Amino acid sequence: MELQGTPVLVTGGAQGLGEATALHLAALGARVTVLDIQLERAQAVAERIGGLALHCDVTDPASAEAAIAAARARHGVARLLVNCAGGGAARRVVGKDGPMPMADFIKVVNLNLFGAFNMTRLAAADMMGAEPIDPVNGERGLVLFTASVAAFEGQVGQAAYTASKGALAALTIQLAREFAPQGVRAMAVAPGIFHTPLLETLPLAAQQALADSIPFPRRLGLPQEFAQLVGDIARNSYLNGEVIRIDGAVRLAPR
């Protein structure tokens, strides 16, 4: 996929991995729409890249439809959707206070899994209704999930996060097969321990301990490295149906 002039949607684009992705794709010439519930922060990112910022609650079908329609009106049909919106909350399934409240589990799965699926079904429908961007291969677009190494090595206290990221990893090949006749690819990136705003809330000693657990390079991943991989995936049309780890060879310990 040629990114120059290509309309792109980035959810969770106001900060962290999403912000880095929006900046990188714009640098490659894409016409980026930054989608986030934090509109002011999204606008700040969009101003830096000459893009568009829109409020979007990925878990709300009406909000997602309105945001995609507004982006389409400004930039045209998006040919790349990068699902970066997500989050988590540590809690044991059975803790000292008893069973984990179902509401806690549902909240994380709703954001990470249902939110990404909601955006994907809508963006993919738009792509399928558009003309191919590659007349030779018939490619119409790409949907990309942000999974996690937690999809493969779930840690104690991370049931909801692990379940949601594992589901995204499993969906990747299924969607690639289902979308293949329409020329829409599906991919996922599974980041390891990255330097994000959430991680910055930890004490420096804790951050260093996490960095020291990574084989090589012995440091936290940089959001720009995640973004670079997204750009590489977009431009390599033979990548399809795969979950790519970007983690410095780390394998998460049980705790």
Side-chain angles (χ1 to χ4, degrees):
M1 178 189 300
E2 172 56 55
L3 289 172
Q4 182 66 45
T6 298
V8 170
L9 303 174
V10 181
T11 72
Q15 62 180 351
L17 300 180
E19 177 183 4
T21 299
L23 296 175
H24 182 68
L25 296 179
L28 295 176
R31 304 172 69 188
V32 179
T33 299
V34 182
L35 303 173
D36 207 291
I37 57 173
Q38 303 178 81
L39 183 56
E40 289 187 6
R41 296 192 67 150
Q43 289 172 331
V45 175
E47 287 176 5
R48 293 172 61 188
I49 60 177
L52 174 65
L54 295 170
H55 177 273
C56 180
D57 178 352
V58 298
T59 67
D60 181 351
S63 177
E65 288 180 20
I68 290 176
R72 185 195 312 121
R74 175 72 68 87
H75 290 161
V77 174
R79 302 309 187 118
L80 169 59
L81 166 68
V82 185
N83 288 292
C84 285
R91 187 146 192 175
R92 288 175 179 261
V93 176
V94 181
K96 295 179 180 179
D97 299 329
M100 176 183 184
M102 277 303 299
D104 291 353
F105 185 87
I106 291 170
K107 182 178 180 179
V108 174
V109 174
N110 189 40
L111 174 58
N112 293 347
L113 175 58
F114 295 171
F117 179 81
N118 184 33
M119 296 300 298
T120 295
R121 69 184 183 93
L122 296 170
D126 260 9
M127 295 174 193
M128 291 176 188
E131 291 297 316
I133 52 178
D134 182 344
V136 176
N137 293 319
E139 182 178 10
R140 287 185 168 86
L142 163 67
V143 294
L144 188 144
F145 294 130
T146 300
S148 168
V149 295
F152 312 105
E153 298 117 38
Q155 295 183 296
V156 172
Q158 294 288 349
Y161 188 78
T162 297
S164 60
K165 296 300 185 177
L168 291 176
L171 265 177
T172 303
I173 183 62
Q174 188 276 324
L175 290 178
R177 291 169 167 175
E178 184 171 323
F179 293 170
Q182 290 80 30
V184 175
R185 294 187 287 140
M187 286 288 295
V189 175
I193 308 171
F194 269 67
H195 195 281
T196 61
L198 180 62
L199 197 82
E200 289 175 359
T201 62
L202 295 177
L204 289 177
Q207 293 184 40
Q208 188 59 51
L210 289 172
D212 289 342
S213 71
I214 299 169
F216 185 83
R218 194 171 290 266
R219 60 170 174 79
L220 302 176
L222 302 176
Q224 297 91 325
E225 291 170 321
F226 172 90
Q228 181 182 346
L229 178 55
V230 171
D232 291 342
I233 291 170
R235 291 182 292 179
N236 189 331
S237 294
Y238 207 61
L239 286 171
N240 194 16
E242 187 58 85
V243 182
I244 300 178
R245 293 180 67 128
I246 178 168
D247 57 21
V250 75
R251 296 298 180 267
L252 299 182
R255 291 179 175 81

